[in-house]
Coordinates of all heavy atoms in Angstrom, one line a residue:
M135 N 10.4 -17.4 -11.4 CA 9.0 -17.5 -11.5 C 8.7 -18.8 -12.4 O 9.3 -18.8 -13.4 CB 8.5 -16.2 -12.0 CG 6.9 -16.3 -12.5 SD 5.9 -15.7 -11.2 CE 4.6 -15.1 -12.0
S136 N 7.7 -19.5 -11.9 CA 7.3 -20.7 -12.7 C 6.4 -20.4 -13.7 O 5.5 -19.5 -13.6 CB 6.8 -21.7 -11.7 OG 7.8 -22.1 -10.8
S137 N 6.6 -20.9 -14.9 CA 5.8 -20.8 -16.1 C 4.5 -21.6 -16.0 O 4.6 -22.7 -15.3 CB 6.4 -21.0 -17.4 OG 6.7 -22.4 -17.5
F138 N 3.5 -21.3 -16.7 CA 2.3 -22.2 -16.7 C 2.7 -23.7 -17.2 O 2.3 -24.6 -16.7 CB 1.2 -21.7 -17.7 CG 0.0 -22.3 -17.9 CD1 -1.1 -22.3 -16.9 CD2 -0.1 -23.4 -19.0 CE1 -2.2 -23.2 -17.2 CE2 -1.2 -24.1 -19.1 CZ -2.3 -24.0 -18.1
D139 N 3.5 -23.6 -18.2 CA 3.9 -25.0 -18.7 C 4.7 -25.8 -17.7 O 4.5 -27.0 -17.6 CB 4.8 -24.8 -20.0 CG 4.1 -24.4 -21.2 OD1 2.7 -24.4 -21.3 OD2 4.6 -23.8 -22.1
E140 N 5.5 -25.2 -17.0 CA 6.3 -25.9 -15.8 C 5.3 -26.4 -14.9 O 5.5 -27.5 -14.4 CB 7.2 -24.9 -15.2 CG 8.1 -25.6 -14.1 CD 9.0 -24.6 -13.4 OE1 9.1 -23.5 -13.7 OE2 9.6 -25.0 -12.3
I141 N 4.3 -25.6 -14.5 CA 3.3 -25.9 -13.4 C 2.5 -27.2 -14.0 O 2.2 -28.1 -13.4 CB 2.3 -24.8 -13.1 CG1 3.2 -23.8 -12.4 CG2 1.4 -25.2 -12.2 CD1 2.5 -22.3 -12.3
K142 N 2.1 -27.0 -15.3 CA 1.3 -28.2 -15.9 C 2.1 -29.5 -16.0 O 1.5 -30.6 -15.6 CB 0.8 -27.7 -17.3 CG -0.2 -28.7 -17.9 CD -0.8 -28.0 -19.2 CE -1.9 -28.9 -19.8 NZ -2.4 -28.4 -21.0
T143 N 3.4 -29.4 -16.3 CA 4.2 -30.5 -16.3 C 4.3 -31.1 -14.9 O 4.1 -32.3 -14.7 CB 5.7 -30.2 -16.8 OG1 5.6 -29.8 -18.1 CG2 6.5 -31.4 -16.7
F144 N 4.4 -30.3 -14.0 CA 4.4 -30.7 -12.5 C 3.1 -31.4 -12.2 O 3.2 -32.5 -11.6 CB 4.8 -29.5 -11.6 CG 4.3 -29.8 -10.2 CD1 5.1 -30.4 -9.2 CD2 3.0 -29.5 -9.7 CE1 4.7 -30.8 -8.0 CE2 2.5 -29.7 -8.5 CZ 3.5 -30.3 -7.6
A145 N 2.0 -30.9 -12.6 CA 0.6 -31.4 -12.2 C 0.6 -32.9 -12.8 O 0.2 -33.8 -12.1 CB -0.4 -30.5 -12.8
F146 N 1.1 -33.0 -14.1 CA 0.9 -34.4 -14.7 C 1.8 -35.3 -14.0 O 1.4 -36.6 -13.9 CB 1.2 -34.2 -16.2 CG -0.2 -33.9 -17.0 CD1 -0.5 -32.5 -17.2 CD2 -0.9 -34.9 -17.4 CE1 -1.6 -32.2 -17.9 CE2 -2.0 -34.6 -18.2 CZ -2.4 -33.2 -18.5
E147 N 3.1 -34.9 -13.7 CA 4.0 -35.8 -13.0 C 3.5 -36.1 -11.6 O 3.6 -37.3 -11.3 CB 5.4 -35.1 -12.9 CG 6.2 -34.9 -14.2 CD 7.5 -34.2 -14.1 OE1 7.7 -33.5 -13.1 OE2 8.1 -34.1 -15.1
A148 N 3.0 -35.2 -10.9 CA 2.4 -35.5 -9.5 C 1.2 -36.4 -9.5 O 1.3 -37.5 -8.9 CB 2.0 -34.1 -8.9
L149 N 0.3 -36.3 -10.6 CA -0.8 -37.2 -10.7 C -0.2 -38.6 -11.1 O -0.8 -39.6 -10.5 CB -1.8 -36.7 -11.7 CG -2.4 -35.5 -11.5 CD1 -3.3 -34.9 -12.5 CD2 -3.5 -35.7 -10.3
G150 N 0.8 -38.7 -11.9 CA 1.4 -40.0 -12.3 C 2.0 -40.6 -11.0 O 1.9 -41.9 -10.8
E151 N 2.7 -39.8 -10.2 CA 3.4 -40.4 -9.0 C 2.3 -40.8 -8.0 O 2.6 -41.7 -7.1 CB 4.2 -39.4 -8.4 CG 5.5 -39.1 -9.2 CD 6.2 -37.8 -8.8 OE1 5.8 -37.2 -7.7 OE2 7.2 -37.4 -9.3
M152 N 1.1 -40.3 -8.1 CA 0.1 -40.5 -7.3 C -0.9 -41.8 -7.8 O -1.9 -42.1 -7.4 CB -0.9 -39.4 -7.1 CG -0.2 -38.3 -6.1 SD -1.0 -36.6 -6.2 CE -2.7 -37.1 -5.6
N153 N -0.3 -42.5 -8.8 CA -0.8 -43.7 -9.5 C -2.2 -43.4 -10.2 O -2.9 -44.2 -10.4 CB -1.2 -44.6 -8.4 CG 0.2 -45.2 -7.8 OD1 1.2 -45.4 -8.4 ND2 0.3 -45.4 -6.4
Y154 N -2.2 -42.2 -10.8 CA -3.2 -41.9 -11.8 C -2.7 -42.1 -13.1 O -1.6 -41.6 -13.6 CB -3.8 -40.5 -11.5 CG -4.6 -40.3 -10.3 CD1 -4.1 -40.0 -9.1 CD2 -6.0 -40.8 -10.3 CE1 -4.8 -40.0 -7.9 CE2 -6.7 -40.5 -9.1 CZ -6.2 -40.2 -7.9 OH -6.9 -40.2 -6.8
D155 N -3.4 -42.8 -14.0 CA -3.0 -42.9 -15.4 C -3.4 -41.6 -16.2 O -4.5 -41.4 -16.5 CB -3.7 -44.1 -16.1 CG -3.3 -44.4 -17.5 OD1 -2.5 -43.6 -18.0 OD2 -3.8 -45.2 -18.1
T156 N -2.4 -40.9 -16.5 CA -2.6 -39.5 -17.1 C -2.6 -39.6 -18.6 O -2.9 -38.6 -19.3 CB -1.6 -38.5 -16.6 OG1 -0.3 -39.1 -17.1 CG2 -1.6 -38.4 -15.1
A157 N -2.5 -40.8 -19.3 CA -2.5 -40.9 -20.7 C -3.8 -40.2 -21.4 O -3.6 -39.7 -22.5 CB -2.4 -42.3 -21.1
D158 N -5.0 -40.4 -20.8 CA -6.1 -39.7 -21.4 C -6.5 -38.3 -20.9 O -7.5 -37.8 -21.2 CB -7.4 -40.7 -21.1 CG -7.1 -42.0 -22.0 OD1 -6.5 -42.0 -22.9 OD2 -7.7 -42.9 -21.4
F159 N -5.6 -37.8 -20.1 CA -5.9 -36.5 -19.6 C -5.4 -35.4 -20.5 O -4.3 -35.5 -21.1 CB -5.2 -36.3 -18.1 CG -5.7 -37.2 -17.0 CD1 -5.0 -37.5 -15.9 CD2 -6.9 -38.0 -17.2 CE1 -5.5 -38.2 -14.9 CE2 -7.3 -38.9 -16.1 CZ -6.7 -39.0 -15.0
D160 N -6.0 -34.2 -20.5 CA -5.4 -33.0 -21.0 C -5.8 -31.8 -20.1 O -6.3 -32.0 -19.0 CB -5.9 -32.9 -22.4 CG -7.5 -32.7 -22.5 OD1 -8.2 -32.2 -21.6 OD2 -8.0 -33.0 -23.7
G161 N -5.5 -30.6 -20.6 CA -5.8 -29.5 -19.8 C -7.3 -29.2 -19.5 O -7.5 -28.6 -18.5
D162 N -8.2 -29.9 -20.3 CA -9.6 -29.7 -20.1 C -10.1 -30.7 -19.1 O -11.3 -30.7 -18.8 CB -10.3 -29.7 -21.3 CG -10.0 -28.5 -22.1 OD1 -9.7 -27.4 -21.6 OD2 -10.1 -28.6 -23.4
T163 N -9.3 -31.7 -18.6 CA -9.8 -32.8 -17.8 C -10.0 -32.2 -16.4 O -9.1 -31.5 -15.8 CB -8.8 -33.9 -17.7 OG1 -8.5 -34.4 -19.0 CG2 -9.2 -35.0 -16.8
Q164 N -11.1 -32.4 -15.8 CA -11.6 -31.9 -14.5 C -10.8 -32.8 -13.4 O -10.7 -34.0 -13.6 CB -13.0 -31.9 -14.2 CG -13.5 -31.2 -13.1 CD -15.0 -31.1 -13.0 OE1 -15.6 -32.2 -13.1 NE2 -15.6 -29.9 -13.0
L165 N -10.4 -32.1 -12.5 CA -9.7 -32.9 -11.2 C -10.6 -33.7 -10.4 O -10.1 -34.7 -9.9 CB -9.0 -31.9 -10.4 CG -7.7 -31.1 -11.0 CD1 -7.2 -30.1 -9.9 CD2 -6.7 -32.1 -11.2
G166 N -11.8 -33.3 -10.4 CA -12.9 -34.1 -9.6 C -13.6 -35.3 -10.2 O -13.0 -35.8 -11.2
P167 N -14.7 -35.6 -9.8 CA -15.3 -36.9 -10.3 C -15.6 -36.9 -11.8 O -15.7 -38.0 -12.3 CB -16.7 -36.8 -9.5 CG -16.5 -35.9 -8.4 CD -15.5 -34.9 -8.8
A168 N -15.8 -35.7 -12.5 CA -15.9 -35.8 -14.0 C -14.7 -36.1 -14.7 O -14.9 -36.2 -15.9 CB -16.6 -34.5 -14.4
G169 N -13.6 -36.2 -14.1 CA -12.4 -36.3 -14.9 C -11.4 -37.3 -14.1 O -11.5 -38.5 -14.2
V170 N -10.4 -36.6 -13.5 CA -9.4 -37.5 -12.8 C -10.0 -38.2 -11.7 O -9.5 -39.3 -11.3 CB -8.3 -36.6 -12.2 CG1 -7.3 -37.2 -11.6 CG2 -7.7 -35.7 -13.4
D171 N -11.0 -37.6 -11.0 CA -11.8 -38.3 -9.9 C -10.9 -38.3 -8.7 O -10.8 -39.3 -7.9 CB -12.2 -39.7 -10.3 CG -13.3 -40.2 -9.4 OD1 -13.9 -39.3 -8.7 OD2 -13.6 -41.4 -9.3
L172 N -10.3 -37.3 -8.3 CA -9.4 -37.1 -7.1 C -10.4 -37.0 -6.0 O -11.4 -36.2 -5.9 CB -8.6 -35.9 -7.1 CG -7.4 -35.9 -8.2 CD1 -6.7 -34.5 -8.0 CD2 -6.5 -36.9 -8.1
E173 N -10.2 -37.8 -5.0 CA -10.9 -37.8 -3.8 C -10.3 -36.7 -2.9 O -9.2 -36.2 -3.2 CB -10.8 -39.1 -2.9 CG -11.4 -40.3 -3.8 CD -12.9 -40.2 -4.0 OE1 -13.7 -39.5 -3.0 OE2 -13.4 -40.7 -5.0
S174 N -10.8 -36.3 -1.8 CA -10.3 -35.2 -0.9 C -9.0 -35.5 -0.3 O -8.2 -34.6 -0.3 CB -11.3 -34.9 0.3 OG -11.6 -36.1 1.1
L175 N -8.6 -36.7 0.0 CA -7.4 -37.1 0.4 C -6.3 -36.9 -0.7 O -5.3 -36.3 -0.5 CB -7.3 -38.5 0.7 CG -6.1 -38.9 1.6 CD1 -5.8 -38.2 2.8 CD2 -6.1 -40.4 2.0
A176 N -6.6 -37.3 -1.9 CA -5.8 -37.0 -3.1 C -5.5 -35.6 -3.3 O -4.5 -35.1 -3.8 CB -6.1 -37.8 -4.4
L177 N -6.7 -34.8 -3.3 CA -6.6 -33.3 -3.5 C -5.7 -32.7 -2.4 O -4.9 -31.8 -2.8 CB -8.0 -32.7 -3.4 CG -8.8 -32.9 -4.5 CD1 -10.3 -32.5 -4.2 CD2 -8.3 -32.1 -5.8
A178 N -5.7 -33.2 -1.2 CA -4.9 -32.7 -0.1 C -3.4 -33.1 -0.5 O -2.4 -32.2 -0.2 CB -5.2 -33.4 1.3
E179 N -3.1 -34.3 -1.0 CA -1.8 -34.7 -1.4 C -1.2 -33.8 -2.5 O -0.2 -33.4 -2.4 CB -1.7 -36.1 -1.8 CG -0.3 -36.6 -2.2 CD -0.2 -38.0 -2.4 OE1 -1.1 -38.9 -2.1 OE2 0.9 -38.4 -3.0
L180 N -2.1 -33.5 -3.4 CA -1.7 -32.6 -4.6 C -1.4 -31.3 -4.0 O -0.4 -30.6 -4.4 CB -2.9 -32.5 -5.5 CG -2.6 -31.7 -6.9 CD1 -1.3 -32.3 -7.5 CD2 -3.7 -31.7 -7.7
G181 N -2.2 -30.8 -3.0 CA -1.9 -29.5 -2.4 C -0.6 -29.4 -1.7 O 0.2 -28.5 -1.7
V182 N -0.3 -30.5 -0.9 CA 1.0 -30.7 -0.2 C 2.1 -30.6 -1.3 O 3.2 -30.0 -1.1 CB 1.0 -32.0 0.6 CG1 2.5 -32.3 1.0 CG2 0.1 -31.7 1.8
R183 N 2.0 -31.4 -2.4 CA 3.0 -31.5 -3.5 C 3.3 -30.0 -4.0 O 4.4 -29.6 -4.3 CB 2.7 -32.3 -4.5 CG 2.8 -33.8 -4.1 CD 2.2 -34.8 -5.1 NE 2.3 -36.2 -4.6 CZ 3.3 -37.0 -5.2 NH1 4.2 -36.7 -6.0 NH2 3.2 -38.3 -4.7
V184 N 2.2 -29.3 -4.2 CA 2.3 -28.0 -4.7 C 3.0 -27.0 -3.6 O 3.9 -26.3 -4.0 CB 1.0 -27.3 -5.0 CG1 1.0 -25.8 -5.2 CG2 0.3 -28.0 -6.3
E185 N 2.7 -27.3 -2.5 CA 3.4 -26.5 -1.3 C 4.8 -26.8 -1.3 O 5.7 -25.8 -1.2 CB 2.7 -26.7 0.0 CG 3.4 -25.9 1.1 CD 2.6 -26.0 2.4 OE1 1.6 -26.8 2.6 OE2 3.0 -25.4 3.4
E186 N 5.2 -28.0 -1.5 CA 6.6 -28.5 -1.4 C 7.5 -27.9 -2.6 O 8.5 -27.5 -2.5 CB 6.7 -29.9 -1.3 CG 6.3 -30.5 0.0 CD 6.2 -32.0 0.1 OE1 6.4 -32.7 -1.0 OE2 6.1 -32.5 1.2
R187 N 6.8 -27.9 -3.8 CA 7.4 -27.6 -4.9 C 7.5 -26.1 -5.2 O 8.5 -25.5 -5.7 CB 6.7 -28.4 -6.2 CG 7.3 -27.9 -7.6 CD 8.7 -28.3 -7.8 NE 9.1 -27.8 -9.1 CZ 9.6 -26.6 -9.4 NH1 9.6 -25.8 -8.6 NH2 9.9 -26.5 -10.7
F188 N 6.4 -25.4 -4.9 CA 6.3 -24.0 -5.3 C 6.1 -23.0 -4.1 O 6.3 -21.9 -4.2 CB 5.1 -23.7 -6.1 CG 5.3 -24.6 -7.6 CD1 4.4 -25.6 -7.7 CD2 6.1 -24.0 -8.5 CE1 4.4 -26.3 -8.9 CE2 6.1 -24.7 -9.7 CZ 5.4 -25.8 -9.8
G189 N 6.0 -23.6 -2.9 CA 6.0 -22.7 -1.7 C 4.7 -22.0 -1.5 O 4.7 -20.9 -0.8
I190 N 3.6 -22.4 -2.1 CA 2.2 -21.8 -1.9 C 1.4 -22.8 -1.3 O 1.5 -24.0 -1.5 CB 1.7 -21.3 -3.2 CG1 1.5 -22.4 -4.3 CG2 2.6 -20.0 -3.7 CD1 0.7 -21.9 -5.4
R191 N 0.3 -22.3 -0.5 CA -0.5 -23.2 0.2 C -2.0 -22.9 -0.1 O -2.4 -21.8 -0.4 CB -0.3 -23.1 1.7 CG -1.0 -24.0 2.5 CD -0.5 -23.9 3.9 NE -1.0 -25.0 4.7 CZ -2.2 -25.3 5.1 NH1 -3.2 -24.5 4.7 NH2 -2.5 -26.4 5.8
F192 N -2.7 -23.9 -0.2 CA -4.2 -23.9 -0.5 C -4.8 -24.3 0.9 O -4.4 -25.1 1.6 CB -4.8 -24.8 -1.5 CG -4.4 -24.5 -2.9 CD1 -3.2 -24.9 -3.5 CD2 -5.1 -23.5 -3.6 CE1 -2.9 -24.6 -4.8 CE2 -4.9 -23.0 -4.9 CZ -3.7 -23.6 -5.5
S193 N -5.8 -23.5 1.4 CA -6.6 -23.7 2.5 C -7.5 -25.1 2.3 O -7.6 -25.5 1.1 CB -7.5 -22.7 2.9 OG -8.7 -22.6 2.0
D194 N -7.9 -25.7 3.3 CA -8.8 -26.9 3.2 C -10.0 -26.6 2.3 O -10.4 -27.5 1.5 CB -9.1 -27.5 4.6 CG -8.0 -27.9 5.4 OD1 -7.0 -28.3 4.7 OD2 -8.1 -28.2 6.6
D195 N -10.6 -25.5 2.5 CA -11.9 -25.1 1.7 C -11.4 -25.0 0.3 O -12.2 -25.3 -0.6 CB -12.5 -23.8 2.2 CG -13.1 -23.9 3.6 OD1 -13.4 -25.1 3.9 OD2 -13.4 -22.9 4.2
E196 N -10.3 -24.4 0.0 CA -9.8 -24.2 -1.4 C -9.4 -25.6 -1.9 O -9.8 -25.8 -3.2 CB -8.6 -23.3 -1.4 CG -8.9 -21.9 -1.1 CD -7.7 -21.1 -0.9 OE1 -6.6 -21.5 -0.4 OE2 -7.7 -19.9 -1.3
L197 N -9.0 -26.5 -1.1 CA -8.6 -27.7 -1.7 C -9.9 -28.6 -2.2 O -9.9 -29.1 -3.3 CB -7.9 -28.7 -0.7 CG -6.5 -28.3 -0.5 CD1 -6.0 -29.2 0.7 CD2 -5.6 -28.6 -1.6
D198 N -11.0 -28.4 -1.5 CA -12.2 -29.0 -1.8 C -12.8 -28.3 -3.2 O -13.3 -29.1 -4.0 CB -13.4 -28.8 -0.7 CG -13.0 -29.6 0.5 OD1 -12.3 -30.6 0.4 OD2 -13.5 -29.3 1.5
E199 N -12.5 -27.1 -3.3 CA -13.1 -26.4 -4.5 C -12.1 -26.8 -5.8 O -12.6 -26.8 -6.8 CB -12.9 -25.0 -4.4 CG -13.9 -24.4 -3.4 CD -13.7 -22.9 -3.0 OE1 -12.9 -22.2 -3.7 OE2 -14.4 -22.4 -2.0
L200 N -10.9 -27.3 -5.6 CA -10.0 -27.7 -6.7 C -10.7 -28.8 -7.5 O -10.4 -28.9 -8.6 CB -8.6 -28.2 -6.1 CG -7.8 -27.1 -5.5 CD1 -6.4 -27.8 -5.1 CD2 -7.5 -26.0 -6.5
A201 N -11.5 -29.7 -6.9 CA -12.2 -30.7 -7.6 C -13.0 -30.2 -8.7 O -13.3 -30.9 -9.7 CB -13.0 -31.6 -6.6
T202 N -13.4 -29.0 -8.7 CA -14.3 -28.3 -9.7 C -13.5 -27.9 -10.9 O -14.1 -27.5 -11.9 CB -15.2 -27.2 -9.2 OG1 -14.5 -26.2 -8.7 CG2 -16.1 -27.8 -8.1
L203 N -12.2 -27.8 -10.7 CA -11.3 -27.1 -11.7 C -10.8 -28.2 -12.7 O -10.6 -29.3 -12.4 CB -10.1 -26.5 -11.1 CG -10.3 -25.3 -10.1 CD1 -9.0 -24.8 -9.4 CD2 -11.2 -24.3 -10.6
T204 N -10.5 -27.7 -13.9 CA -9.8 -28.5 -14.9 C -8.3 -28.5 -14.6 O -7.9 -27.6 -13.7 CB -10.0 -28.0 -16.3 OG1 -9.3 -26.7 -16.4 CG2 -11.6 -27.9 -16.7
I205 N -7.5 -29.3 -15.2 CA -6.1 -29.3 -14.9 C -5.5 -27.9 -15.3 O -4.8 -27.3 -14.6 CB -5.4 -30.3 -15.7 CG1 -5.8 -31.7 -15.1 CG2 -3.8 -30.3 -15.6 CD1 -5.2 -32.9 -15.8
D206 N -5.9 -27.3 -16.4 CA -5.4 -26.0 -16.9 C -5.9 -24.8 -15.9 O -5.1 -24.0 -15.6 CB -6.0 -25.7 -18.2 CG -5.2 -26.2 -19.4 OD1 -4.1 -26.9 -19.1 OD2 -5.5 -26.1 -20.5
E207 N -7.1 -25.0 -15.4 CA -7.6 -24.0 -14.3 C -6.8 -24.1 -13.1 O -6.5 -23.1 -12.4 CB -9.1 -24.2 -14.0 CG -10.0 -23.8 -15.3 CD -11.4 -24.2 -15.1 OE1 -11.7 -25.1 -14.2 OE2 -12.3 -23.6 -15.7
F208 N -6.5 -25.4 -12.7 CA -5.6 -25.5 -11.5 C -4.3 -24.9 -11.7 O -3.7 -24.3 -10.9 CB -5.5 -27.1 -11.2 CG -4.4 -27.4 -10.2 CD1 -4.7 -27.2 -8.9 CD2 -3.3 -27.9 -10.6 CE1 -3.7 -27.4 -7.9 CE2 -2.3 -28.3 -9.7 CZ -2.5 -28.1 -8.3
C209 N -3.7 -25.1 -12.8 CA -2.4 -24.6 -13.1 C -2.4 -23.0 -13.2 O -1.5 -22.5 -12.6 CB -1.9 -25.1 -14.5 SG -1.6 -26.9 -14.4
T210 N -3.5 -22.4 -13.7 CA -3.6 -21.1 -13.6 C -3.8 -20.6 -12.2 O -3.2 -19.5 -11.9 CB -4.9 -20.7 -14.5 OG1 -4.7 -21.1 -15.8 CG2 -5.2 -19.1 -14.4
A211 N -4.5 -21.2 -11.4 CA -4.6 -20.9 -10.0 C -3.3 -20.9 -9.3 O -2.9 -20.0 -8.6 CB -5.6 -21.7 -9.3
V212 N -2.4 -21.9 -9.5 CA -1.1 -21.9 -8.9 C -0.2 -20.7 -9.4 O 0.4 -20.1 -8.6 CB -0.5 -23.3 -9.2 CG1 1.0 -23.3 -8.8 CG2 -1.2 -24.5 -8.6
A213 N -0.3 -20.6 -10.7 CA 0.4 -19.5 -11.4 C 0.1 -18.1 -10.8 O 0.9 -17.2 -10.5 CB 0.4 -19.5 -12.9
T214 N -1.2 -17.9 -10.6 CA -1.7 -16.7 -10.0 C -1.2 -16.4 -8.7 O -0.7 -15.4 -8.3 CB -3.3 -16.7 -10.1 OG1 -3.7 -16.7 -11.5 CG2 -3.8 -15.3 -9.5
R215 N -1.2 -17.5 -7.9 CA -0.7 -17.4 -6.4 C 0.8 -17.2 -6.5 O 1.2 -16.3 -5.7 CB -1.1 -18.7 -5.7 CG -2.5 -18.7 -5.3 CD -2.8 -20.1 -4.5 NE -4.1 -20.0 -4.3 CZ -4.6 -19.6 -2.9 NH1 -3.8 -19.7 -2.0 NH2 -5.9 -19.7 -2.6
L216 N 1.5 -17.8 -7.3 CA 2.9 -17.5 -7.3 C 3.3 -16.1 -7.7 O 4.1 -15.5 -7.2 CB 3.7 -18.5 -8.5 CG 3.7 -20.0 -8.0 CD1 4.2 -20.9 -9.2 CD2 4.7 -20.0 -6.8
A217 N 2.4 -15.6 -8.7 CA 2.7 -14.2 -9.1 C 2.3 -13.3 -7.9 O 3.1 -12.2 -7.6 CB 1.9 -13.8 -10.3
A218 N 1.3 -13.5 -7.2 CA 0.9 -12.7 -6.1 C 1.9 -12.9 -4.9 O 2.3 -11.9 -4.3 CB -0.5 -13.0 -5.6
H219 N 2.4 -14.1 -4.7 CA 3.5 -14.3 -3.8 C 4.8 -13.6 -4.0 O 5.4 -13.1 -3.1 CB 3.6 -15.8 -3.6 CG 4.5 -16.3 -2.5 ND1 4.2 -16.2 -1.2 CD2 5.8 -16.7 -2.5 CE1 5.2 -16.6 -0.4 NE2 6.1 -17.0 -1.1
A220 N 5.1 -13.7 -5.3 CA 6.4 -13.0 -5.7 C 6.4 -11.5 -5.6 O 7.3 -10.8 -5.3 CB 6.6 -13.3 -7.2
S221 N 5.2 -10.9 -5.8 CA 5.1 -9.5 -5.7 C 4.8 -8.9 -4.3 O 4.7 -7.7 -4.0 CB 4.0 -8.9 -6.7 OG 2.7 -9.3 -6.3
A222 N 4.6 -9.9 -3.3 CA 4.3 -9.5 -2.0 C 5.4 -9.1 -1.2 O 6.5 -9.5 -1.6 CB 3.6 -10.7 -1.2

């Protein structure tokens, strides 16, 4: 089972690989326009990276909603899905 810290490290690494400068980001930074400013295509790429790394998938509607989350909220959502997936 992946820990919150592992997911958060993954999120920051993924954003860095996607050419976002994460130096000023923290857990309270929003993924959407108020923070990281991920466009829908970048949110989709982040979703694909999560699926490849953790084996969980977000629907297209859920990907759009990710823009309203902070990095910590995103990591919590991934951890919650992993826990539900593991117990299924």
Side-chain angles (χ1 to χ4, degrees):
M135 171 96 146
S136 299
S137 70
F138 178 85
D139 289 338
E140 180 185 351
I141 296 166
K142 190 168 180 175
T143 298
F144 162 81
F146 275 90
E147 288 174 353
L149 291 169
E151 290 169 3
M152 293 164 59
N153 297 318
Y154 288 90
D155 181 2
T156 60
D158 294 331
F159 297 167
D160 62 24
D162 293 328
T163 303
Q164 195 176 56
L165 291 172
V170 179
D171 200 18
L172 295 182
E173 300 292 330
S174 58
L175 190 59
L177 287 167
E179 182 175 347
L180 185 59
V182 167
R183 288 173 183 256
V184 167
E185 185 174 2
E186 289 174 350
R187 172 65 178 83
F188 298 106
I190 59 168
R191 189 170 193 287
F192 289 97
S193 72
D194 290 343
D195 288 341
E196 290 169 324
L197 285 174
D198 290 339
E199 292 172 14
L200 292 182
T202 65
L203 301 180
T204 64
I205 292 174
D206 279 355
E207 290 168 340
F208 168 73
C209 295
T210 299
V212 172
T214 301
R215 284 180 179 248
L216 284 172
H219 186 71
S221 65

